[in-house]
Amino acid sequence: MASSNRVDYIEKVCTLQYDELLKENESALNEYADFCSTRQILSIFNFDNKRLHLFGSSMSTKQAEKRFFDLQNEILINNIKQRKIDDVLWWYETWDSTWQQYNLNISSDIEHHYKTNVSSILILNELGERVKIDFQKLEELYGTRIKRIRRSKVDPLQPIHWKLTPMNIERILLEHDSNEYNWVQENFDKKMKGHYTTLTSIERIQNMRLFKQFLILHEEYLHKYGQVNDGTMHYLYHGCPESAAKKIIERGFNRSYCGINGKFLLAHLIDGYSIT
């Protein structure tokens, strides 16, 4: 008789984007192995093929995949902050309109030639294809295939948990079972429970320009009001139509509207979230 508590085990394969950095960071690898072990996940690193194989339950491997994504980001940003590697990344657009990083060696090679002001170069990409990089059109060409490319600079002030992206503004849909989603929902419910019927989604808003503005103001408030309550920082929730939300995400709050709908000053989008 089959057990009703049967767990379906799966294999999840992740790409090692920064394999050289990972190999140099044994403590991070050990920490990740412990993370997987406590969740009954077998993790196997294959540095030759630049792959991480995860074996475990569907839910556990999903958690391990997310943790590995965060770990790679942390290692990359820490190396950039320590000036061990270049802070410029090159990206190409994939078939589903998302952006994928070139590996660090290729990215470094592209950046080297970009700085020489040449119009184009030929390189081997990760697939072993000899492609043309057109710096004037910002395109990768292989036969009749054309991919858009982008250059981005990683800001050392960027929060480690943010997704690396070449876009200036990103809306990242949070997973319902993630710690970040749960933290936002719990904080939201402290003030708003009973005032809404259904919470359908939470997005993390990544706008580095607004985030840096917040850091400057926060430093001033800490100096003025002290460390109590983290410089009198509070989380407020502002209901508005989608059209207004898009403007807030792009530009922050317009303080010229202060007082129109109440005596509150909503100054800046912080590590913002869009809740619907």
Side-chain angles (χ1 to χ4, degrees):
M1 182 175 178
S3 171
S4 60
N5 295 324
R6 177 186 171 188
V7 177
D8 291 324
Y9 287 92
I10 64 170
E11 177 186 7
K12 188 77 175 180
V13 181
C14 306
T15 301
L16 305 183
Q17 289 182 299
Y18 317 121
D19 54 308
E20 294 299 328
L21 299 182
L22 284 166
K23 284 192 287 187
E24 294 172 0
N25 200 322
E26 187 175 348
S27 61
L29 292 177
N30 290 336
E31 178 189 333
Y32 183 72
D34 291 340
F35 176 92
C36 291
S37 178
T38 58
R39 289 159 179 78
Q40 298 183 322
I41 298 171
L42 174 63
S43 58
I44 300 176
F45 284 90
N46 187 330
F47 287 103
D48 292 333
N49 295 328
K50 299 183 180 181
R51 294 289 186 270
L52 166 64
H53 297 264
L54 300 170
F55 300 88
S57 69
S58 177
M59 181 177 294
S60 295
T61 52
K62 187 176 182 180
Q63 293 174 347
E65 181 185 26
K66 173 66 168 60
R67 177 61 193 128
F68 181 65
F69 166 81
D70 291 340
L71 176 65
Q72 290 198 107
N73 271 6
E74 291 168 13
I75 291 175
L76 177 69
I77 293 175
N78 284 334
N79 274 269
I80 289 173
K81 287 181 177 179
Q82 296 169 22
R83 300 185 182 278
K84 293 182 179 180
I85 60 174
D86 198 354
D87 58 355
V88 173
L89 299 174
W90 281 86
W91 308 71
Y92 61 90
E93 190 177 31
T94 62
W95 62 271
D96 60 353
S97 299
T98 59
W99 291 91
Q100 177 68 40
Q101 294 175 45
Y102 288 100
N103 70 42
L104 292 181
N105 290 333
I106 294 177
S107 186
S108 178
D109 189 31
I110 295 174
E111 178 65 12
H112 168 74
H113 287 91
Y114 173 81
K115 289 180 177 178
T116 64
N117 293 320
V118 297
S119 60
S120 64
I121 59 170
L122 294 175
I123 64 166
L124 287 177
N125 64 14
E126 288 95 334
L127 299 176
E129 301 168 337
R130 193 166 185 80
V131 299
K132 179 181 179 180
I133 301 295
D134 188 323
F135 291 119
Q136 295 180 332
K137 295 182 179 179
L138 286 179
E139 292 177 343
E140 178 198 282
L141 299 96
Y142 181 69
T144 58
R145 187 190 71 201
I146 300 175
K147 295 180 180 179
R148 292 193 299 166
I149 62 174
R150 281 179 179 266
R151 178 180 184 266
S152 72
K153 192 168 185 177
V154 179
D155 195 305
L157 295 176
Q158 175 174 313
I160 285 179
H161 68 281
W162 277 19
K163 179 181 178 181
L164 285 174
T165 169
M167 310 302 289
N168 295 323
I169 301 172
E170 280 278 17
R171 300 173 65 165
I172 309 298
L173 185 66
L174 301 185
E175 298 285 348
H176 284 249
D177 57 353
S178 69
N179 291 335
E180 187 177 6
Y181 183 101
N182 292 330
W183 180 86
V184 176
Q185 183 177 14
E186 288 173 8
N187 193 289
F188 184 69
D189 280 345
K190 287 178 182 177
K191 299 176 176 65
M192 300 302 296
K193 196 164 187 177
H195 297 281
Y196 70 95
T197 54
T198 305
L199 195 156
T200 58
S201 66
I202 300 176
E203 295 175 312
R204 182 197 314 126
I205 308 304
Q206 296 187 182
N207 184 324
M208 197 62 208
R209 179 179 62 83
L210 294 182
F211 182 72
K212 290 169 81 169
Q213 289 178 7
F214 160 74
L215 291 178
I216 294 171
L217 284 174
H218 189 221
E219 189 65 30
E220 291 179 3
Y221 274 54
L222 286 173
H223 179 73
K224 185 175 182 179
Y225 299 107
Q227 300 290 334
V228 178
N229 292 327
D230 199 16
T232 67
M233 183 166 69
H234 298 279
Y235 291 91
L236 305 177
Y237 299 96
H238 175 64
C240 60
E242 177 69 14
S243 58
K246 288 181 178 178
K247 292 179 181 178
I248 294 170
I249 288 169
E250 293 173 2
R251 310 170 197 168
F253 287 102
N254 187 338
R255 284 185 280 181
S256 65
Y257 289 108
C258 287
I260 293 178
N261 297 310
K263 297 180 180 179
F264 295 99
L265 174 62
L266 300 178
H268 285 277
L269 190 68
I270 312 173
D271 188 1
Y273 294 93
S274 171
I275 302 175
T276 58

